Amino acid sequence: LDDSIALLEPFRHDDGTTVDRTVRAEALVGLASAHAFAGAFEQAAPLLDEALTTLELQRAWPALTNALVVRGVYLILRHRLQEGAAVLLQAVSLADEHDVPTVGLRARYNIASVAIEDDRFADAVRELDDALALARERGDRIWERQLMGQAVAPLAVLGRWDQVVPMADVLLADEGVDVFAATFLAQIAAARGDEEMLARSCSVARAHLESTHA
């Protein structure tokens, strides 16, 4: 996060150079995202406001769609779930309309996270099933894995362990597996006496012990 902030900080101030307005707005969105994940919400908010205004006026639809996803995530992190979900739904609508499916998948991923935060696990699974179908239709393996990782928690809580276990080999083979997915895989492995899956799940936690990313 520190590296991202240092890289994007020069875009904060408009010095009248030849930097394209849309490009600068996209950089501000990235800077806001980094600050939000670092917990510096008071710095993220004005950056998002400025960027969203610029992108709306420029009618830069793909960039605006991405910015709305970041805005939705920012709101979720501020515990404003309903507002965040509303913004993300608009992002999905724009993503479908303007053919930016990768951004649409990110929006759907985060809509599912709102459902999980709100203990609506069946709703989260339905949202993720739809998103997984889209990712697989496009052959998007990166987002397929991300969405599978997101699905582990609600499926585990609903007791649908037989659907989770086949995902373990795919998810635990990836060094970037979501630590939250590994948490639930570890609980299932412990309950079933699967020592191999338990050890592999715990190794994910050990790999993230020194992470500064909350």
Side-chain angles (χ1 to χ4, degrees):
L1 292 177
D2 289 342
D3 291 344
S4 298
I5 290 169
L7 184 66
L8 294 168
E9 185 64 32
F11 289 93
R12 180 189 293 271
H13 303 291
D14 186 0
D15 59 3
T17 63
T18 57
V19 176
D20 180 84
R21 292 181 66 190
T22 298
V23 171
R24 177 173 176 267
E26 289 180 287
L28 293 182
V29 170
L31 182 58
S33 179
H35 279 305
F37 279 114
F41 300 119
E42 68 288 347
Q43 295 200 52
L47 294 168
L48 279 174
D49 285 345
E50 181 179 352
L52 284 163
T53 300
T54 297
L55 295 172
E56 182 104 19
L57 290 172
Q58 296 291 108
R59 301 177 70 82
W61 299 118
L64 177 61
T65 303
N66 178 66
L68 287 173
V69 175
V70 174
R71 173 69 175 174
V73 172
Y74 162 84
L75 291 167
I76 292 169
L77 293 172
R78 296 301 306 267
H79 308 293
R80 290 154 61 180
L81 299 183
Q82 301 308 311
E83 186 180 355
V87 172
L88 290 166
L89 285 169
Q90 178 62 11
V92 168
S93 178
L94 287 177
D96 292 345
E97 180 181 353
H98 296 284
D99 194 27
V100 278
T102 301
V103 180
L105 288 171
R106 282 180 51 227
R108 289 175 168 91
Y109 175 96
N110 285 292
I111 289 170
S113 77
V114 171
I116 292 170
E117 288 280 339
D118 206 26
D119 295 338
R120 293 183 289 106
F121 303 112
D123 291 344
V125 171
R126 281 191 291 272
E127 187 68 43
L128 290 164
D129 282 346
D130 290 346
L132 273 165
L134 178 59
R136 287 166 177 158
E137 179 182 291
R138 293 184 49 78
D140 191 329
R141 300 305 181 201
I142 293 174
W143 268 106
E144 180 185 27
R145 186 166 293 182
Q146 287 278 94
L147 293 160
M148 286 173 63
Q150 180 84 315
V152 168
L155 287 171
V157 172
L158 291 169
R160 292 159 63 174
W161 292 6
D162 288 340
Q163 289 180 250
V164 175
V165 172
M167 299 178 181
D169 285 340
V170 176
L171 293 172
L172 293 175
D174 178 15
E175 293 181 359
V177 64
D178 189 323
V179 71
F180 300 109
T183 299
F184 285 92
L185 290 172
Q187 293 177 50
I188 293 171
R192 289 190 162 186
D194 186 338
E195 294 183 6
E196 180 185 357
M197 189 166 85
L198 178 60
R200 292 169 69 193
S201 300
C202 290
S203 71
V204 175
R206 283 193 293 273
H208 289 79
L209 282 176
E210 302 303 321
S211 175
T212 57
H213 193 306

